Amino acid sequence: MISTDSRFPASTEDLPDPIEWPRLPGAQRHMAMVIAGAVLLGLVSTVLVGWAMDSWEIASLYGAMILASAVVAYFSALGRARRGADGIDWTMMRTALDSRSDALAITDAEGKLVCANAAYGTRCDGYPSPFDLAGEDEASRGRLANIAEQARRDGNGFAEIEQTVGGARRKLRVSVRPADTARSYLLWTLRRGTAEKAMDDTVALLEGPAGIWLGSAGLMIVMADPSGEIIAANGAFKNAITGTAGRVPTNLVDILEAGEDGARRMKTGGGANIPVRLIELPLGNQKEAGTSAYVFLILREGSAAAEAVTPVPDSLPALLSVLPIGLALADRDGRFTFMNESFAAIAGVEEGSELRYPSDLVVDEDKTMVSDAVRRAAASIERARDLRVRLKHKPEEPVALTVGKAPGAGGPAVVLSLKDNQEQLKLEKQIAQATKMQAVGQLAGGVAHDFNNILTAVIGYCDLMLLRHTPGDSDFDDINQIRQNANRAANLVRQLLAFSRQQTLRPQLIHVSDIVGELSHLLKRLLGETVTLTVKHGRSLAPVRADPGQMEQVIVNLAVNARDAMPEGGELTISTFAVSAREAKKLDREGMPSGEYVAIAVKDTGTGISPEILGKIFEPFFTTKEVGRGTGLGLSTVYGIVKQSGGYIFADSVVAGGTTFTIYLPAQEALPEATTATAGEDGGDPWGQGKILLVEDEAMVRAVAERALTRKGYEVLTAGHGEEALEILERMPEGVDLLISDVVMPTMDGPTLVQHARKTFPDLKIIFMSGYAEEQLRKSIDVPDVAFLAKPFSVQELSDKVRHEIARGKVRTTPEATAAK
């Protein structure tokens, strides 16, 4: 008999419970040993107390108290274990997850599975961690790790992987988002691909009551892959091929054969060959190897001659109606002879409407393509063909139409399958957009790194020249103008890094109302006299974690865009307000999980944004302004800053009715004020003392940094790469006070240099300087206790950073500090 596929367990009640306590093997034995020890201790203590006090009544009471305390401690530990370390009732959580039909799982900060519903166990043939779904496929495992990190950073992540279950490869769509405010737990949602879902639904139909009912009507149904390997079948088919002592065939090629007269015959278990009619229905996308399948309807015939002239049984439309896919049949002239309810629902066919041809379903541009596909299928020129068409009742959303031949004379010539693949198209667009943004971001990061090296040299040399020229000199204004333009170029580079989320942020706890209030005077000057500014502050707003300077840039960019959208004047309203978790859930913003937020809304009364443009406004270099009036980086910069700060931004607009940009930042708990900085860490004598090793592969950056530090009184040694720097350190047994190194260098990079240098000088102070973002570098640099200086930097910023780090090192190495340790 055909074995049941392990991908489809008969009953989810047989699946193990992943939240059963205790989860760790042997935990019950350990608790039993603790209880036994407590009992033994109680008995011994009772005997000793009774012997010492010569009062066995008091000793008995003492022993009872010890036993009672042990029982209370046991049940307290049991309750904590059932709730989990974070006070979460996982039993209740499992019940909540089981109410959903999607496969759901929750992992902790270490990636271990802590809770899942029965649908997850069914889909994964057990309860593996979501990180193990890809098996040995390193690329897919990497994608799962990336979307987990993306979910903790951006609030959501998505990937499509291949999963091996029961020896078969299946496509799986995995989405993940934080399950709690602290983002310690992640909620994973698993969805099957379109073809896989159709296969699973068909298997459930064939092996369920519907399959029994169809078999009782004399219809044998079997699902097989393109090679003919049987995946599932109903009872009537299984009964027909059993009854023999030989090997049970598992491939249709071994069961069905075509005679010389063109008639098909099926081998039965009793050794007979019976004439049958075979109707082939394509299931899923025929171009996707490994996921495609066919559903074969097999009807017993009296003879080959009868098969040639007998029409399709009258009961076939009723039988096809119960299939969970949109199916329709057409004759050789291309006219519809039947369509089931699923097909009519997807195609938007109303009851009683006169629809004759498949081409009547689609828009005019697709009519010729559909008619040609039906004609070729009826003539058996093509086996099956997938088309992406637009239906008349919903032309803006393409759907998938599969056209294939229906073998057999005298019956339908063409089978049509219609699938609503809007979710798939939506996911494809999201993946394409994410891939495009990632590619542009990588390009921007590389360009920004090279530009930052150039700008560091320009700004540094300007600073050195300004030290020799005072205001009033003929060259002072020219040098200062060069420096200002270099800073403008540096701001443009920061914008490039902002939309790609690679800029260096200095997040801290801030109140958005304070930021908006401080900017109100500046905004009034920027908006001009024709635009009225109104500021509304919410009450009792929680702080948020963000870079105050970058948040100011966000608000200014949105305000300037609003001003440009109101050429005749208008009103700009900036409001701050709190959003509770319940309100966030009701908003149903795409990709934004429910939680506590602080919102900033920037609303104008301008011209508005049309729907076809609204979805592109956050893309880099997209602008509707005239040439020369915008770079197209404003809103993409805003988007990058908000996302890198862990927030979300949405735009709502009505043409001629104004636009509202709303920023949602996660609310934070207020922390106590930071203590005063340690004396000696900042300030002090601007004239420096100490020996510094400067490592930089860019000659112009190395030269300007060396001159700047030498002018401040430091002894500076230079090296062009890491190996040269190590050679210098080997010749200096006393070491240096500070090592300043670029991160990315040829021959040996900065992190590798530091790892080798600290083997000899473990307390060596380090400053990394780079044109890449600090957050991006710290993820790939496993070096503790290092400072970071972002390029481009000025001479003053370099000297301040050096003085601070050398002073911090001296504080740590004083005799008092050493004695305190």
Side-chain angles (χ1 to χ4, degrees):
M1 191 59 203
I2 301 173
S3 60
T4 304
D5 195 332
S6 62
R7 294 174 293 176
F8 313 105
S11 174
T12 57
E13 285 77 6
D14 299 332
L15 295 173
D17 187 353
I19 61 168
E20 181 182 357
W21 187 90
R23 292 191 295 268
L24 296 178
Q28 287 179 326
R29 293 197 305 272
H30 296 162
M31 293 300 295
M33 293 172 62
V34 172
I35 292 296
V39 172
L40 181 60
L41 178 62
L43 292 175
V44 174
S45 301
T46 300
V47 173
L48 293 176
V49 170
W51 177 75
M53 301 183 64
D54 197 19
S55 175
W56 294 104
E57 292 82 1
I58 296 178
S60 300
L61 178 62
Y62 179 76
M65 291 175 61
I66 292 179
L67 292 177
S69 300
V71 172
V72 171
Y74 171 77
F75 283 104
S76 176
L78 176 62
R80 285 196 301 271
R82 287 186 179 276
R83 289 192 301 270
D86 297 323
I88 300 174
D89 191 334
W90 291 110
T91 303
M92 185 177 297
M93 181 67 70
R94 169 64 185 268
T95 304
L97 295 184
D98 272 338
S99 64
R100 296 287 302 275
S101 59
D102 291 335
L104 302 174
I106 297 178
T107 57
D108 60 13
E110 298 178 356
K112 293 188 295 187
L113 183 71
V114 295
C115 189
N117 61 0
Y120 180 88
T122 304
R123 187 72 43 78
C124 301
D125 196 21
Y127 288 90
S129 169
F131 292 97
D132 297 330
L133 294 176
E136 301 300 326
D137 187 351
E138 293 298 331
S140 297
R141 292 175 69 92
R143 286 197 293 270
L144 292 175
N146 289 339
I147 65 173
E149 180 65 26
Q150 183 180 355
R152 290 192 174 94
R153 183 183 67 244
D154 300 336
N156 58 78
F158 169 82
E160 188 174 89
I161 66 171
E162 284 194 353
Q163 176 194 21
T164 302
V165 177
R169 301 287 292 178
R170 320 183 70 209
K171 287 190 176 179
L172 193 66
R173 295 167 181 164
V174 183
S175 59
V176 57
R177 60 186 178 87
D180 62 335
T181 305
R183 304 194 178 192
S184 299
Y185 293 94
L186 296 178
L187 175 63
W188 300 74
T189 304
L190 311 184
R191 294 183 175 89
R192 296 160 291 180
T194 304
E196 284 77 8
K197 185 177 186 304
M199 291 173 60
D200 291 351
D201 292 343
T202 304
V203 169
L205 181 143
L206 296 182
E207 299 182 348
I212 298 175
W213 176 68
L214 292 170
S216 64
L219 182 64
M220 294 175 284
I221 307 178
V222 61
M223 183 170 69
D225 63 18
S227 66
E229 195 71 21
I230 296 174
I231 300 174
N234 69 341
F237 179 83
K238 295 176 182 179
N239 292 335
I241 64 171
T242 56
T244 177
R247 184 181 64 87
V248 177
T250 58
N251 195 298
L252 286 177
V253 176
D254 301 328
I255 301 172
L256 299 173
E257 61 180 15
E260 295 180 356
D261 54 358
R264 291 185 180 271
R265 291 176 173 80
M266 185 178 76
K267 299 177 183 178
T268 65
N273 290 343
I274 59 174
V276 294
R277 175 187 298 276
L278 183 67
I279 299 177
E280 178 183 322
L281 303 177
L283 187 68
N285 189 346
Q286 307 306 308
K287 297 178 181 179
E288 295 183 1
T291 60
S292 303
Y294 296 88
V295 174
F296 296 93
L297 308 180
I298 304 175
L299 296 96
R300 189 188 299 260
E301 296 289 350
S303 64
E307 180 184 8
V309 297
T310 303
V312 178
D314 295 336
S315 60
L316 182 59
L319 301 179
L320 295 181
S321 297
V322 301
L323 290 176
I325 52 178
L327 290 173
L329 304 176
D331 59 21
R332 294 189 177 277
D333 294 329
R335 290 188 296 264
F336 278 119
T337 59
F338 163 78
M339 69 174 64
N340 63 5
E341 293 182 1
S342 298
F343 190 97
I346 298 174
V349 180
E350 298 180 357
E351 187 176 358
S353 61
E354 295 184 2
L355 191 68
R356 301 187 63 185
Y357 297 96
S359 59
D360 295 336
L361 297 172
V362 300
V363 298
D364 293 341
E365 293 82 355
D366 296 338
K367 285 182 178 294
T368 302
M369 176 176 60
V370 173
S371 298
D372 182 64
V374 172
R375 177 183 59 80
R376 294 175 67 87
S380 299
I381 299 176
E382 291 182 334
R383 183 180 183 86
R385 184 180 179 187
D386 290 332
L387 308 174
R388 178 170 289 186
V389 299
R390 291 173 294 160
L391 301 174
K392 279 186 176 180
H393 79 291
K394 200 182 294 186
E396 69 280 358
E397 299 178 356
V399 298
L401 175 66
T402 302
V403 181
K405 64 178 181 178
V414 180
V415 178
L416 300 102
S417 174
L418 197 58
K419 298 182 287 293
D420 188 355
N421 58 346
Q422 292 309 305
E423 181 180 357
Q424 177 181 351
L425 293 176
K426 182 179 180 181
L427 292 175
E428 289 176 356
K429 291 180 180 179
Q430 291 177 350
I431 294 174
Q433 176 68 8
T435 303
K436 179 174 65 175
M437 291 295 290
Q438 181 181 8
V440 176
Q442 290 175 346
L443 174 63
V447 171
H449 174 261
D450 294 337
F451 265 89
N452 281 331
N453 277 329
I454 298 172
L455 293 173
T456 299
V458 173
I459 294 174
Y461 279 116
C462 287
D463 288 342
L464 293 175
M465 294 175 67
L466 288 175
L467 293 176
R468 301 193 302 270
H469 295 78
T470 59
D473 289 354
S474 58
D475 294 332
F476 180 84
D477 292 338
D478 295 337
I479 299 172
N480 198 43
Q481 187 66 33
I482 295 173
R483 191 182 191 281
Q484 290 177 0
N485 282 280
N487 284 326
R488 286 184 59 192
N491 288 331
L492 182 59
V493 172
R494 278 192 286 271
Q495 286 184 334
L496 285 170
L497 292 174
F499 81 79
S500 59
R501 306 182 213 172
Q502 297 181 28
Q503 65 176 338
T504 298
L505 296 183
R506 303 296 183 192
Q508 61 189 62
L509 286 181
I510 60 174
H511 287 85
V512 295
S513 297
D514 296 341
I515 299 294
V516 175
E518 293 172 359
L519 283 176
S520 57
H521 297 292
L522 172 63
L523 292 178
K524 288 179 181 178
R525 292 196 299 269
L526 287 175
L527 297 176
E529 298 179 356
T530 60
V531 177
T532 303
L533 174 64
T534 303
V535 178
K536 299 179 181 179
H537 295 302
R539 295 183 178 180
S540 303
L541 299 182
V544 299
R545 183 170 295 280
D547 186 320
Q550 298 298 334
M551 291 310 301
E552 290 179 357
Q553 182 181 352
V554 166
I555 297 172
V556 169
N557 278 353
L558 294 177
V560 170
N561 279 349
R563 178 200 64 188
D564 295 341
M566 297 182 288
E568 304 299 328
E571 182 178 0
L572 177 65
T573 303
I574 303 178
S575 55
T576 60
F577 54 93
V579 179
S580 65
R582 180 176 298 179
E583 292 171 338
K585 186 175 182 179
K586 290 182 179 179
L587 289 174
D588 194 25
R589 295 287 196 179
E590 183 178 358
M592 187 178 82
S594 61
E596 302 289 336
Y597 294 94
V598 176
I600 308 172
V602 181
K603 181 180 180 181
D604 63 60
T605 57
T607 56
I609 305 173
S610 61
E612 58 270 15
I613 295 178
L614 190 62
K616 304 178 181 179
I617 58 175
F618 293 119
E619 295 183 4
F621 308 112
F622 177 83
T623 180
T624 57
K625 298 179 181 179
E626 299 176 2
V627 177
R629 293 198 58 191
T631 62
L633 289 176
L635 287 179
S636 59
T637 299
V638 168
Y639 180 84
I641 293 173
V642 171
K643 296 298 289 185
Q644 194 173 355
S645 302
Y648 305 87
I649 182 170
F650 302 95
D652 303 291
S653 185
V654 178
V655 177
T659 303
T660 302
F661 287 89
T662 309
I663 301 169
Y664 299 91
L665 298 172
Q668 308 288 334
E669 293 184 3
L671 298 177
E673 294 294 331
T675 57
T676 305
T678 305
E681 286 189 357
D682 291 310
D685 189 357
W687 188 262
Q689 292 181 350
K691 187 178 296 184
I692 298 174
L693 176 58
L694 175 65
V695 189
E696 169 62 61
D697 61 311
E698 288 286 345
M700 55 185 177
V701 177
R702 185 171 65 249
V704 72
E706 179 186 7
R707 287 182 57 184
L709 294 174
T710 302
R711 289 179 64 93
K712 289 293 183 179
Y714 297 104
E715 181 182 351
V716 183
L717 306 173
T718 61
H721 51 78
E723 291 186 351
E724 183 181 354
L726 287 179
E727 293 176 358
I728 294 175
L729 288 175
E730 289 177 356
R731 298 193 299 267
M732 301 176 60
E734 72 281 3
V736 295
D737 297 297
L738 178 66
L739 172 63
I740 305 176
S741 174
D742 192 11
V743 176
V744 180
M745 295 183 295
T747 309
M748 179 183 290
D749 60 13
T752 306
L753 163 65
V754 172
Q755 290 175 357
H756 287 289
R758 278 191 169 169
K759 291 179 181 178
T760 307
F761 307 102
D763 297 327
L764 181 62
K765 305 304 299 177
I766 308 295
I767 295 179
F768 277 136
M769 53 183 181
S770 179
Y772 292 105
E774 179 178 359
E775 287 79 4
Q776 182 185 11
L777 291 175
R778 287 195 183 274
K779 293 178 182 178
S780 57
I781 296 176
D782 187 19
V783 180
D785 191 23
V786 295
F788 183 85
L789 182 61
K791 296 178 183 178
F793 50 79
S794 65
V795 168
Q796 187 63 39
E797 289 173 339
L798 174 62
S799 60
D800 289 345
K801 192 73 172 180
V802 169
R803 185 175 68 251
H804 175 271
E805 290 301 312
I806 290 181
R808 190 164 67 92
K810 289 180 178 179
V811 168
R812 291 189 176 185
T813 56
T814 57
E816 294 79 1
T818 306
K821 292 182 180 179

